[in-house]
Amino acid sequence: LSSGTAYYGVAEWGKEQVVAGINRTQQTVAFRLDPINEPVTCHLQLAGQLVSGHKTFWFCMWVLGKQDYTSGRPDFPVMANAPKNGMPAMFIISVALHPDTLGGKRIPATNWFHGGGGSAVDHTANSTRHFNITPEKGILVSHNDDFPRLITDGDSVLMVSSRSKWFGWSKKHDPFDPEYVVTTGDTIINYTQRRIIWINNWLVKNYRVDPDHIALQGYSMGSAGASALAKAYPDYFSSICAFNNGFRGTEESDPETIHGTIAENLPTNLKGPDGEVIHMNQVWDMTTPISKSRDLPLFRTWAGKNDNNNRMHWAPDLIKQYRKADSLAYGMQISWDERLHVYETLGMHWIHGYSDTAQTYRDNLAYQEYFSNRQSYPAFYNHRLYPNNNDPGSGSPGINQGDGDNWGTWGGWHNWDLQEITDETDRWEVTAWLTGEAAYANDICPHQSLTSDLAIRRPQQFNPEPGSAVKWYVIDLSRDDTLQQGNARVDANGLVHASGITLYRDPRRVRIQFVSGSLTSVHRPLSDWEASKWRLGQNYPNPFHTSTTIEFQANGNEAVKLVIYDYLGQKVKDLINERTPAGPHTAVWDGTDDKGKRLSTGLYFFQLQIGSYTITKKCLLLR
């Protein structure tokens, strides 16, 4: 809490003179800083409703600009240099039709970054249908990257709409000086990144946003900005989807005057893992760490072999980054197909049309809402080293020329159960599989099995000491057999990983276990007698319309859990969670979720767990 007095004045652009009583206050004006009782806030400009029924809210904020980018208020950082002090910034919130806020529950937020020729207005709920950016549980936050500045055009001076590429601009940049060009020796400050982070913090405080479920999505220039933000603040975000990102520097006629050229490679205010200064070219690539955090959010990217955009185009340098990323155990899910840069015509492998059944579910905004920045995940990598995995080729543009696969993915088939991750001090486990059922047939893995390496990213409690021993197991859940096992050493960075892990197409699922060197396997294979007693019985009818009955056997000595999951592996209902007497039992599922809501037609899974033993089967609900 602080207070004081100051004169306040207003001057026209390009003029600095202020005169008392004319454009400056006659007397000093009292001010006070009280972040607790009078916090800085965003201002609602417009509230409306889309044709789709989604409510939208347009907000504006005014940035704080100072030459010293470290001198902001405790609750309001410097987001611009002095010439842009007080400039407005706009963002739009689109709310899910049925956000779940019962009992004070918080909701997920997904940030959308537009491309170089777009704006936030173009990307509200139910728009951008080729990516399906409509929220289902929380909100879509569409931001604007606008950097208006003056330029000379012959004898005229014009105001043009420029952009910061979702990063920032130089400390010295004066957008109202038409002759200004960034020079060697200047530093690029991440003003725009700071603004996005502050807005999200504001949403957490004022809009019931869950800080553990904040995701990023962007197209073209927006994908570059989303990637850079995820690299700079990796602990803040849960997942990122980058569409048509070339992962290249910033050389282009317009941004040159803001960021400098690739050759200049100007420094930024960011610091790397060892405290080193991060330069502009490092900001945009796919693999260079630009923060002290070891792990990135779950990262997905799509590109097109027919993309000829000047910065985002398909080329050998992009494929070089793909191959390096696949080798570094980040677990990036890299996909490509026949797409152009602008989606004027659909018909690519991952996007055949606008309906849900003609697209991949992976890039849906609603899919990102399930992931958390406080949950570990299996990072599958080194796909290119094993049989049956796709290959993007050399980077030669175009399709049908024998240069790699026209479409493919590294990691895009891989799934895991977000509800069944065990992350404890002495063990880590996950249930994993390859996509076997999906609304869009092209999402289904064409192979019965695929092999890759696996690392544990974002571990919460399972952090064995570097150099220590771990054991790992791959257990078939349907037969309860140990399919693979091995020993590994934790690397110098504390990363736990294993080589040659094989997953199978759903419904065949495996449980992957890592245990510390002080433990033996936490898995005991079922005997034939136990397997026959505990095996999940058939549900009938299957397919079913209104309800289905599930039969199973229990031995009466351990707790029984029977859970319903959707085809994405998300839990929809607990049917049984109690100790159950020995003998045969039945459970009836009426096709509703935990709140009694009728679920739509689709594939669902029953999972029975008795003690540490788990068996899964599928059924089809018809409406």
Side-chain angles (χ1 to χ4, degrees), residues 528-545:
D528 292 339
W529 180 85
E530 289 170 323
S532 65
K533 279 290 186 182
W534 291 349
R535 192 173 303 280
L536 181 62
Q538 295 294 326
N539 67 294
Y540 55 87
N542 185 11
F544 72 99
H545 175 59

Side-chain angles (χ1 to χ4, degrees), residues 31-44:
F31 69 85
R32 65 180 179 179
L33 169 63
D34 187 357
I36 302 299
N37 299 306
E38 297 177 355
V40 178
T41 191
C42 300
H43 301 274
L44 181 64

Side-chain angles (χ1 to χ4, degrees), residues 99-108 137 207-210 213 595:
D100 183 6
T101 58
L102 293 178
K105 186 176 180 180
R106 290 185 172 272
I107 57 176
K137 298 171 63 178
Y207 224 85
R208 309 180 73 91
V209 164
D210 186 343
H213 289 266
K595 297 180 177 61

Side-chain angles (χ1 to χ4, degrees), residues 314-345:
W314 185 268
D317 65 318
L318 176 61
I319 306 309
K320 183 178 179 180
Q321 291 203 53
Y322 281 179
R323 297 188 187 282
K324 182 177 180 181
D326 186 49
S327 73
L328 292 179
Y330 283 120
M332 294 180 175
Q333 296 178 346
I334 301 169
S335 302
W336 64 93
D337 61 11
E338 308 88 345
R339 69 186 65 190
L340 302 164
H341 189 74
V342 178
Y343 303 156
E344 295 175 346
T345 302

Side-chain angles (χ1 to χ4, degrees), residues 497-515:
H497 50 87
S499 300
I501 301 293
T502 299
L503 296 191
Y504 302 89
R505 193 167 67 191
D506 204 34
R508 188 179 181 187
R509 301 186 176 195
V510 299
R511 187 73 173 170
I512 303 169
Q513 302 175 339
F514 287 80
V515 298

Side-chain angles (χ1 to χ4, degrees), residues 126-195:
N126 209 40
S127 68
T128 321
R129 289 182 297 146
H130 40 277
F131 297 142
N132 197 352
I133 66 170
T134 301
E136 290 186 0
K137 298 171 63 178
I139 60 174
L140 158 67
V141 188
S142 301
H143 298 273
N144 241 31
D145 182 16
D146 37 20
F147 188 87
R149 63 188 181 91
L150 297 178
I151 64 168
T152 56
D153 184 10
D155 296 330
S156 302
V157 176
L158 305 175
M159 176 68 74
V160 298
S161 177
S162 190
R163 61 263 191 212
S164 73
K165 205 176 177 184
W166 298 103
F167 185 77
W169 53 93
S170 70
K171 290 192 295 184
K172 300 177 183 178
H173 196 135
D174 183 354
F176 309 116
D177 175 3
E179 304 301 324
Y180 183 84
V181 177
V182 66
T183 58
T184 301
D186 206 345
T187 301
I188 310 300
I189 311 300
N190 66 336
Y191 295 124
T192 308
Q193 288 190 337
R194 289 163 164 239
R195 170 165 59 91

